[in-house]
Amino acid sequence: MSVGPTDPISGPTATATATATPGPPSGPSTRPLRIGNASGFYGDRFDAMREMLTGGPLDVLTGDYLAELTMLILGRDRLKNPAGGYARTFLRQLEECLGLAHERGVRIVANAGGLNPAGLADAVRELAERLGIAARVAHVEGDDLTARCPGPGNLAAHAYLGGAGIAACLREGADIVVTGRVTDAALVTGPAVAHFGWAPDAYDRLAGAVVAGHVLECGTQATGGNYAFFAEHDPARLHHPGFPVAELHEDGTSVITKHDGTGGVVDIGTVTAQLLYETSGARYAGPDVTARLDSVRLTQEGPDRVRIGGVRGGSVRGEAPPPTLKVGLNRLGGFRNEVVFVLTGLDIEAKAAFVRAQLEAALMAAKSRPTEIRWELARTDRADAPTEETASALLRLVVRDPDQDAVGRTLSGAAIELALGSYPGFHVLAPPGKGAPYGVFEDVYVPHVDVDHVAVLHDGRRIPVAPARDTLVLQPLAPSEEPPLPEPLPAGSAVRRAPLGLVAGARSGDKGGNANVGVWVRTDDAWRWLAHTLTTDRFRELLPEAADLTVVRHVLPDLRALNFVVEGILGEGVAAQHRFDPQAKALGEWLRSRHLDIPEVLL
């Protein structure tokens, strides 16, 4: 915790005892701000907070604990315990690390408050008192709109707030700021605004902070985790990647790095991969600013150091935020159940058709037939297999219904009764249970002025956060703004049938019921080929599950990248578990495995 003379949110310039009370912050600074991340999701590496606090210098340590699915989980937790609803892991991490943060003058900003930031702030204060550490704990509230969104099964409705509330807490001397649902990037824009004193319309600078925050938000995905070209690096280097750090400058530019001596790698590829993750077009909208991803430039500045800059003298171009805030609405959608039949040896297709017909007839005859029935045959078998497991395929049945009995008792009875009267070798991976509730995620939007964004300080004072004064309705790029494609490679080049992944990297993820797939290459010639080859029609050909869906392509030439949004492929969102891969985490890797004609000069 900070003591003695300070920058707005920088570390101490004098040593303090454990009971010292931090002084008020001073005015804005131009000194670079060093922000680290210690969590990309609720359940991330527990020791990361300690590793980041002991691994090197930091001004601010952030933690992202929330996702669409997490809000549903916390909502169900709070039904059982109204005092809960926050990420308890964060509290346990602080129990080990609050003293370290205090000694090093590192402020902590985390969205671990979930559905109950006030409750978590109180719990952190009690912890600090028990440990004998003087810590100013503040929280941000106003995102909870659940009471305004009544409806059957509604568990939580939360607006995605920006960083202004966090900044207000830090300007008033907070050492720890916990929030509920803010944008992931707000964990960086808030400290940056407090430190540099940026005005709300400093859009270029804010956009730079948003881009840096987007790179940091998923933790080790920026330092070699989940990386398409992992096989090009020493495996030992990637086994325990360090968490990322952003050195943010007053002009909005930044350098992405990590603590010296930690595992992982930071290069243009790892940063590009994270920039493309869970975004869509060139305009990346948020409550603080709309960042223009088509203006981002990446430069390898040294080992494990990538500079993020752009146009206009090195800043990242930004625009006013949209007039509305996104609200994530989580509700119970009903009940689901599944059973996986194991089909071994010969006649796999015939066995699948046989048991499917049997089971569907039994379900049709039942009093409560599930309203949704989905089958998927995964041909994991191989001919003349050396083990029984590799000789087997998996037939997966998923059912959904508002009535738990329809997916529980009805399914379990129909499936298990076939045990001695179905295909040869009949068995299942596990008997179906009684069915479990599933959630549905929806996006709705409300005007900024309809949300009471408030910074609640350690002394109980409440500082209202004004809504955005200037806004700009989010628009796709106009034809005049669309970036030109590069010249194609010369016609007639020799080609070879090969996987796309030999040339291109990819990273994919979920946005509600949509999936995004970012694809990038590492040379200009590869970009000349990719930009003209991987059209939306070719994308659908390579991924037949998208054949009947709307696919939108966005071009980001300065990253040598394409970003595809596949609308509706995830149904009602991750909590509904519509697909085998409900968050589309591996959709990009499936795309990379698909074969097409690639110029030999690129291979």
Side-chain angles (χ1 to χ4, degrees):
M1 305 303 111
S2 61
V3 294
T6 65
D7 284 332
I9 53 172
S10 61
T13 57
T15 304
T17 65
T19 58
T21 301
S26 60
S29 172
T30 58
R31 182 185 60 81
L33 181 66
R34 192 170 165 90
I35 305 178
N37 171 277
S39 177
F41 67 100
Y42 189 11
D44 208 344
R45 198 159 82 215
F46 185 87
D47 292 336
M49 185 178 289
R50 176 178 292 275
E51 292 170 10
M52 291 301 289
L53 289 170
T54 60
L58 289 175
D59 297 307
V60 177
L61 183 61
T62 67
D64 182 5
Y65 293 80
L66 301 184
E68 293 170 4
L69 182 60
T70 314
M71 299 299 280
L72 177 70
I73 293 169
L74 293 176
R76 291 170 60 183
D77 287 348
R78 201 171 188 188
L79 287 177
K80 302 173 186 176
N81 176 17
Y86 54 78
R88 297 186 180 278
T89 301
F90 174 74
L91 201 59
R92 296 200 302 272
Q93 289 173 305
L94 276 186
E95 188 163 10
E96 291 188 6
C97 298
L98 189 57
L100 286 172
H102 180 92
E103 293 166 6
R104 289 160 172 75
V106 178
R107 287 185 161 93
I108 296 176
V109 179
N111 61 14
L115 276 61
N116 188 9
L120 178 56
D122 286 341
V124 173
R125 293 185 189 103
E126 293 172 5
L127 173 66
E129 185 175 358
R130 175 162 56 85
L131 297 177
I133 298 172
R136 299 186 180 205
V137 183
H139 72 276
V140 176
E141 60 185 42
D143 61 300
D144 190 351
L145 304 182
T146 306
R148 303 189 200 178
C149 299
N154 283 359
L155 286 179
H158 289 261
Y160 287 69
L161 303 179
I166 296 170
C169 293
L170 293 171
R171 279 195 298 262
E172 294 296 324
D175 302 304
I176 300 172
V177 182
V178 295
T179 77
R181 180 74 276 186
V182 296
T183 65
D184 300 333
L187 302 177
V188 170
T189 61
V193 168
H195 181 74
F196 296 118
W198 292 336
D201 61 355
Y203 296 134
D204 286 1
R205 290 167 168 80
L206 286 165
V210 164
V211 172
H214 181 59
V215 174
L216 292 191
E217 71 182 61
C218 288
T220 55
Q221 278 196 170
T223 58
N226 301 349
Y227 183 49
F229 298 114
F230 77 100
E232 297 180 2
H233 298 277
D234 177 1
R237 190 177 179 187
L238 298 182
H239 281 173
H240 194 81
F243 276 68
V245 174
E247 297 172 356
L248 192 60
H249 295 265
E250 195 278 336
D251 65 356
T253 62
S254 62
V255 173
I256 305 300
T257 184
K258 59 187 184 66
H259 285 327
D260 292 342
T262 58
V265 60
V266 179
D267 63 19
I268 289 177
T270 66
V271 174
T272 298
Q274 181 55 28
L275 277 174
L276 297 175
Y277 181 64
E278 294 183 347
T279 59
S280 53
R283 288 185 163 97
Y284 185 59
D288 295 311
V289 66
T290 295
R292 290 290 297 267
L293 299 182
D294 57 346
S295 68
V296 174
R297 308 287 195 277
L298 301 180
T299 307
Q300 192 77 43
E301 194 175 70
D304 294 319
R305 292 181 63 83
V306 172
R307 178 170 291 279
I308 300 178
V311 296
R312 292 196 196 167
S315 66
V316 177
R317 188 168 68 247
E319 301 169 350
T324 57
L325 296 176
K326 174 181 172 180
V327 177
L329 178 62
N330 287 276
R331 61 178 173 84
L332 293 178
F335 296 86
R336 75 180 295 279
N337 205 352
E338 69 176 75
V339 59
V340 180
F341 300 91
V342 182
L343 315 173
T344 304
L346 305 177
D347 305 319
I348 295 295
E349 299 284 346
K351 289 172 180 174
F354 185 53
V355 71
R356 177 171 177 171
Q358 286 182 302
L359 195 59
E360 288 191 343
L363 292 176
M364 284 291 290
K367 288 183 179 180
S368 300
R369 170 185 166 83
T371 55
E372 183 180 345
I373 299 174
R374 291 173 60 90
W375 295 89
E376 187 73 31
L377 176 61
R379 294 299 303 265
T380 53
D381 58 301
R382 68 182 69 168
D384 195 22
T387 66
E388 182 178 340
E389 186 171 358
T390 56
S392 300
L394 301 176
L395 178 65
R396 181 170 177 252
L397 167 64
V398 177
V399 296
R400 291 185 176 85
D401 196 272
D403 180 8
Q404 188 171 14
D405 282 346
V407 303
R409 188 178 307 152
T410 299
L411 176 64
S412 59
I416 299 306
E417 286 172 6
L418 295 176
L420 301 180
S422 188
Y423 62 87
F426 178 101
H427 67 287
V428 298
L429 290 184
K434 62 181 181 180
Y438 71 88
V440 173
F441 178 87
E442 297 178 42
D443 288 345
V444 296
Y445 292 85
V446 299
H448 284 257
V449 295
D450 287 356
V451 175
D452 298 322
H453 190 174
V454 179
V456 184
L457 305 182
H458 62 282
D459 56 10
R461 283 181 295 145
R462 300 174 63 86
I463 300 179
V465 177
R469 182 179 59 189
D470 298 317
T471 61
L472 183 66
V473 175
L474 186 67
Q475 298 284 351
L477 293 184
S480 60
E481 295 179 287
E482 290 284 352
L485 296 182
E487 287 294 321
L489 288 178
S493 301
V495 297
R496 182 178 3 135
R497 197 77 176 169
L500 174 64
L502 295 185
V503 175
R507 179 167 286 165
S508 56
D510 63 316
K511 279 292 187 183
N514 301 338
N516 99 285
V517 184
V519 185
W520 81 95
V521 290
R522 297 180 288 183
T523 68
D524 289 339
D525 281 348
W527 172 238
R528 293 169 64 188
W529 172 78
L530 183 75
H532 292 276
T533 300
L534 196 56
T535 62
T536 55
D537 287 341
R538 179 63 61 84
F539 184 95
R540 291 190 189 92
E541 290 174 11
L542 295 174
L543 301 187
E545 288 184 36
D548 299 324
L549 301 175
T550 298
V551 178
V552 181
R553 185 179 95 150
H554 303 279
V555 180
L556 301 170
D558 291 318
L559 297 176
R560 300 193 192 100
L562 303 171
N563 209 356
F564 294 88
V565 178
V566 187
E567 297 182 4
I569 193 170
L570 303 180
E572 295 176 302
V574 54
Q577 298 188 15
H578 180 76
R579 293 180 73 248
F580 164 72
D581 175 16
Q583 289 181 281
K585 294 291 189 181
L587 195 61
E589 286 301 294
W590 178 27
L591 178 66
R592 293 182 70 236
S593 74
R594 298 290 283 163
H595 289 224
L596 69 169
D597 292 333
I598 300 176
E600 288 190 348
V601 68
L602 302 180
L603 296 171

